[in-house]
Amino acid sequence: MLNKSSNNREQLEMISISQLVPDDHLLRKVEKVLDLNFVYDLVKDKYCLDNGRPSIDPVILVKILLIQKLFGIKSMRQTIKEIHTNVAYRWYLGYGFFDKVPHFGTFSKNYTRRFYDNKLFEEIFQHILKIAFENNLINTEQIFIDSTHIKANANKNKYIKKVVQIEAKAYQKELDDEVNLLRKADGKKPIKKKKEAKTKYIK
């Protein structure tokens, strides 16, 4: 007998967003081992406490960046789009079903003002990636970073340090390039970075 399923799309349910995120979801593991409160102390000099427009919570800003990295989303613009509809992403950011997700342009402005052309971003993500490696959230046996193949070192701590330094720098370059593409589309000049020493090849 042909059985047609009923359409319950408009059915109202009493449910929390947390109930829809599986216990074994990667972001639950990340939330458990990665305390990002250290970010507030690092960025406090970049914010005005009693003046100016409300900004994106810096921890939310970092979590959005982390979502993109963990799930291999090709661009920050696409990451923002997926956060709108992905329940697990909303849960990780502390958003409810109806909380407004930052527009990509808003994200871009906040990122540029706080992280562009300084070592703060690199410092934050080195710390995050180090914890991720130590908790086996990332495979440390071998990894391709910025077109460089780095083999696992017998000294695990030394290896992790090398990897996180290059990975953080490479990721910041990707974000900087995307921000400048947005500026170009808006008819603005790209933000030029200060010249820095070339990253040495890691054996």
Side-chain angles (χ1 to χ4, degrees), residues 13-21 83-91 94-101:
E13 304 280 358
M14 289 290 291
I15 192 170
S16 71
I17 200 166
S18 184
Q19 289 175 273
L20 298 176
V21 182
I83 289 171
H84 278 87
T85 57
N86 190 302
V87 173
Y89 294 172
R90 280 183 169 271
W91 172 85
Y95 289 164
F97 290 112
F98 304 109
D99 287 326
K100 187 176 180 180
V101 177

Side-chain angles (χ1 to χ4, degrees), residues 64 76-84 101-104:
I64 291 174
M76 183 50 62
R77 189 185 296 273
Q78 183 62 34
T79 302
I80 296 296
K81 287 182 179 179
E82 293 194 15
I83 289 171
H84 278 87
V101 177
H103 185 272
F104 174 67

Side-chain angles (χ1 to χ4, degrees), residues 169 195-199:
K169 189 180 292 292
K195 190 175 182 180
E196 60 180 359
K198 187 177 180 180
T199 303

